[in-house]
């Protein structure tokens, strides 16, 4: 395997994906119908191609959307439309990821009970997304021009570990810290910001990829359409660096992370009142500061030629096995829920029944399907590596990959190409709570470590086998 070290061509495009009618919002156990549009949703695509003098060619289209998740069937439909419109693009080299806002449309049928006729159906929302995303990809691919890239690393306090641990060893997501039994916060927080800048032939900034370990969920329970803090971040970055700048946000490994503060809440609220900014605006200022701080260094190191390679492959991860005790609990919960709500009119009942029924189904499937086939993308672009996964991946796994990666910077992109729930650490499974119980995990800690090793294996190959 060779790594093209040729001239780079890049193209950008972005499309508005804000729904025109009320929608079912994805992200809670109860159904929510949007009552207004707070701010627009967008899908943004960056196309990259390199060719060298030996004829070697490589491609990638990196896509990010203001959605909670990107189900696999959505990706398949997007690729099919792109294939017809851009036959010179290898659609296997296209990947989509979500920012994990909880105030964007549901695109999968059956997650919530059907809504009123005036509400867009998940199928209608899916069609709107597929049309817009495929259009953005084709436009970005068509827009490719000779260009340059540079990269840099900054810091912004955005994500916080959201699992509180108590003296009995149990953890709870969003647990109360003002508790006599509170012991500590379960895991690490990553405030690093990985940045990839793009430039035109006159060294003018055209776009930036912003990668950080936090989902966009400050106002996650609202009944409105919103990109959450990424809206304010876009507004602030463009105010400083240019109104036409493309901004592509990526959520790194952050399954146990959140923008919600569980410590120092009173102090933070006091400071925000004093400065006159909202929580989302404060996060946006921190992100924009990180971009602006890194930019002068990145601007001095623009590269129009760089090693570029994109590996897309399927890896088999061992599924988290459902135990006899766990399937018995799932069956008892289904019985309890049906007795409490025989007609399943309550949306939390509907959602919980679906979760428990899925555990029962997995208990039978694991006998013949012991592995989950996961689509993995690993890119090398200069000194930068970028690697995807479809999970809400607990941060520890991301830290393990970054610590051992040969790249100067490693961009991890979760919720990419599919959605299969949380992937927790062994520590979290032992401590229990939402996100680490079997109903939340198709893949468990054993599969998480396999993901780490397979990702690092692909990164290693891109550095060892380069051709200069």
């Amino acid at each position: 395997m060779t790594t093209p070290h040729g001239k780079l061509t890049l193209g950008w495009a972005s499309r508005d994906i804000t729904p025109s009618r009320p929608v079912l919002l994805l992200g809670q156990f109860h159904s929510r119908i949007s009552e207004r549009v707070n701010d627009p949703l967008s899908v943004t695509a960056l196309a990259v191609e390199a060719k060298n003098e030996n004829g070697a060619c490589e491609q990638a289209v990196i896509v990010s959307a203001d959605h909670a998740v990107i189900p696999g069937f959505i990706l398949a439909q997007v690729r099919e439309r792109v294939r017809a419109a851009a036959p010179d693009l290898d659609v296997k080299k296209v990947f989509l990821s979500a920012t994990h806002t909880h105030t964007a449309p549901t695109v999968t049928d059956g997650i919530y009970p059907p809504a009123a006729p005036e509400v867009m159906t998940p199928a209608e929302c899916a069609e709107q997304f597929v049309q817009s995303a495929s259009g953005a990809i084709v436009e970005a691919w068509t827009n490719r021009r000779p260009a340059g890239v540079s990269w840099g690393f900054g810091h912004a306090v955005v994500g916080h570990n959201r699992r509180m641990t108590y003296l009995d060893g149990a953890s709870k997501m969003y647990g109360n810290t003002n508790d006599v039994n509170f012991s500590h916060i379960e895991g690490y927080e990553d405030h690093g910001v990985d940045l990839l800048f793009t430039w035109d032939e006159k060294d003018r900034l055209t776009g930036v990829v912003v990668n950080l370990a936090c989902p966009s969920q400050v106002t996650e329970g609202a009944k409105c359409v919103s990109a959450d803090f990424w809206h304010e971040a876009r507004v602030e970055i463009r105010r400083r660096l240019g109104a036409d700048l493309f901004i592509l946000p990526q959520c790194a490994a952050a399954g146990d992370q959140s923008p919600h503060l569980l410590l120092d809440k009173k102090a933070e609220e006091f400071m925000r009142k004093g400065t006159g900014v909202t929580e989302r605006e404060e996060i946006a200022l921190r992100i924009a500061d990180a971009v602006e701080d890194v930019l002068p260094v990145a601007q001095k190191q623009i590269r129009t030629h760089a090693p570029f390679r994109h590996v897309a492959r399927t890896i088999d991860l061992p599924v988290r096995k459902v135990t006899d005790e766990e399937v018995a609990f799932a069956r008892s919960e289904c019985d309890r829920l049906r007795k409490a709500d025989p007609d399943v009119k309550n949306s939390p009942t509907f959602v919980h029944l679906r979760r428990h029924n899925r555990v029962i189904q997995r208990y039978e499937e694991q006998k013949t399907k012991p592995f989950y086939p996961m689509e993995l993308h690993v890119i090398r672009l200069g000194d930068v590596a970028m690697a995807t996964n479809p999970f809400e991946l607990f941060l520890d796994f991301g830290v393990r990959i970054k610590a051992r990666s040969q790249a100067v910077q490693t961009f991890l992109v979760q919720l990419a190409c599919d959605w299969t729930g949380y992937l927790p650490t062994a520590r979290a499974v032992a401590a229990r709570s939402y996100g680490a119980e079997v109903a939340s995990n198709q893949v468990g800690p054993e599969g998480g470590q396999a993901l780490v090793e397979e990702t690092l294996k692909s990164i290693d190959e891109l550095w060892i086998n380069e051709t200069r």
Side-chain angles (χ1 to χ4, degrees):
M1 179 170 57
T2 60
T3 302
H5 193 112
K7 187 172 180 62
L8 295 170
T9 58
L10 282 74
W12 282 99
S14 185
R15 296 286 177 91
D16 188 294
I17 54 172
T18 311
S20 57
R21 291 166 32 217
V23 295
L24 275 165
L25 299 166
L26 181 63
Q28 305 290 343
F29 283 105
H30 60 281
S31 60
R32 293 168 296 146
I33 307 299
S34 64
E35 298 173 350
R36 60 188 174 87
V37 172
N38 188 75
D39 49 82
L41 307 179
S42 62
V43 58
T44 303
L46 168 62
V48 187
E49 186 179 44
K51 296 179 181 179
N52 65 18
E53 63 277 6
N54 298 321
C57 175
E58 188 56 279
Q59 303 173 341
V61 182
I62 304 162
V63 187
S64 171
D66 294 321
H67 264 245
V69 297
I70 307 293
F73 77 90
I74 291 288
L75 175 62
Q77 291 180 25
V78 169
R79 285 175 172 167
E80 195 61 34
R81 297 199 189 182
V82 171
R83 180 183 288 110
D88 57 334
L89 170 60
D90 181 357
V91 295
K92 295 191 297 294
K93 299 297 180 75
V94 174
F95 65 84
L96 282 69
S97 67
T99 61
H100 207 48
T101 177
H102 277 199
T103 44
T106 303
V107 295
T108 304
D109 284 316
I111 293 181
Y112 299 111
E118 65 270 17
V119 177
M120 288 181 70
T121 66
E124 289 175 318
C125 294
E127 171 58 27
Q128 181 192 31
F129 179 85
V130 169
Q131 182 177 353
S132 298
S134 58
I137 292 166
V138 172
E139 182 181 345
W141 185 247
T142 304
N143 286 344
R144 295 186 329 282
R145 300 290 185 274
V149 296
S150 60
W151 43 87
F153 180 74
H155 295 86
V157 178
V158 181
H160 308 276
N161 191 288
R162 59 181 175 173
R163 289 176 55 88
M164 304 299 106
T165 304
Y166 299 89
L167 295 175
D168 63 358
S171 291
K172 185 177 181 180
M173 186 176 288
Y174 298 130
N176 181 22
T177 56
N178 184 23
D179 187 307
V180 68
N181 293 310
F182 172 68
S183 171
H184 60 277
I185 298 173
E186 185 180 86
Y188 184 57
E189 298 175 355
D190 182 1
H191 302 306
V193 181
D194 285 295
L195 297 161
L196 178 68
F197 299 92
T198 66
W199 311 83
D200 67 14
E201 289 187 284
K202 295 183 179 180
D203 291 347
R204 292 176 298 205
L205 183 65
T206 56
V208 57
V209 177
V210 185
N211 181 289
L212 53 84
C214 187
S216 52
Q217 294 176 359
V218 173
T219 48
E220 61 179 324
K223 292 184 178 181
C224 63
V225 170
S226 173
D228 209 274
F229 65 72
W230 280 115
H231 170 69
E232 285 82 358
R234 290 186 184 104
V235 169
E236 182 62 21
I237 294 170
R238 286 172 178 151
R239 184 188 70 80
R240 301 186 191 188
L241 302 181
D244 296 327
L245 189 71
F246 288 97
I247 300 168
L248 194 154
Q250 292 178 329
C251 185
D256 52 352
Q257 307 293 300
S258 163
H260 298 303
L261 282 165
L262 298 175
L263 288 174
D264 301 319
K265 289 189 285 188
K266 292 180 180 179
E268 288 279 355
E269 185 177 357
F270 170 78
M271 292 302 296
R272 282 198 298 273
K273 286 181 179 178
T275 56
V277 299
T278 67
E279 186 176 358
R280 283 169 46 161
E281 288 170 340
E282 182 178 45
I283 288 172
L285 290 169
R286 293 173 180 174
I287 295 172
D289 285 347
V291 174
E292 198 169 37
D293 287 347
V294 170
L295 184 60
V297 176
Q299 198 165 12
K300 297 175 183 177
Q301 303 180 56
I302 300 171
R303 303 190 189 184
T304 58
H305 294 67
F308 177 46
R309 181 71 185 181
H310 180 182
V311 173
R313 64 190 184 97
T314 299
I315 60 174
D316 288 329
L317 303 179
V319 300
R320 178 174 175 179
K321 294 294 182 66
V322 180
T323 66
D324 292 344
E325 181 181 5
E326 288 165 339
V327 75
F329 175 76
R331 287 169 176 152
S332 68
E333 282 296 286
C334 286
D335 291 341
R336 181 185 67 80
L337 290 165
R338 290 192 183 97
K339 288 177 182 177
D341 185 12
D343 297 324
V344 196
K345 293 181 178 179
N346 183 280
S347 63
T349 301
F350 188 95
V351 174
H352 284 291
L353 268 175
R354 180 176 177 271
R355 279 166 54 83
H356 292 304
N357 277 323
R358 178 59 184 144
V359 171
I360 297 168
Q361 181 184 356
R362 283 170 49 201
Y363 181 75
E364 298 300 324
E365 290 178 345
Q366 67 192 19
K367 301 170 185 177
T368 56
K369 299 178 181 178
F371 295 98
Y372 166 68
M374 190 206 98
E375 182 174 323
L376 171 67
H377 292 259
V378 178
I379 290 173
R380 178 181 181 178
L381 181 56
D383 295 333
V384 166
M386 186 176 292
T388 70
N389 70 84
F391 306 102
E392 294 179 63
L393 186 68
F394 274 42
L395 180 61
D396 282 6
F397 295 113
V399 170
R400 293 173 199 175
I401 294 170
K402 285 191 169 188
R404 293 167 54 194
S405 172
Q406 293 194 50
V408 173
Q409 290 178 239
T410 303
F411 293 53
L412 299 174
V413 188
Q414 71 168 22
L415 293 167
C417 302
D418 203 356
W419 174 49
T420 51
Y422 292 91
L423 204 171
T425 58
R427 170 176 57 186
V429 170
R432 304 181 298 280
S433 186
Y434 175 75
E437 84 278 64
V438 73
S440 300
N441 313 146
Q442 185 165 340
V443 176
E446 180 187 0
Q449 190 57 34
L451 169 62
V452 170
E453 300 301 334
E454 289 293 333
T455 301
L456 286 166
K457 177 182 175 183
S458 288
I459 293 174
D460 286 346
E461 290 173 351
L462 300 188
W463 260 256
I464 292 171
N465 296 304
E466 68 179 85
T467 298
R468 293 281 180 183

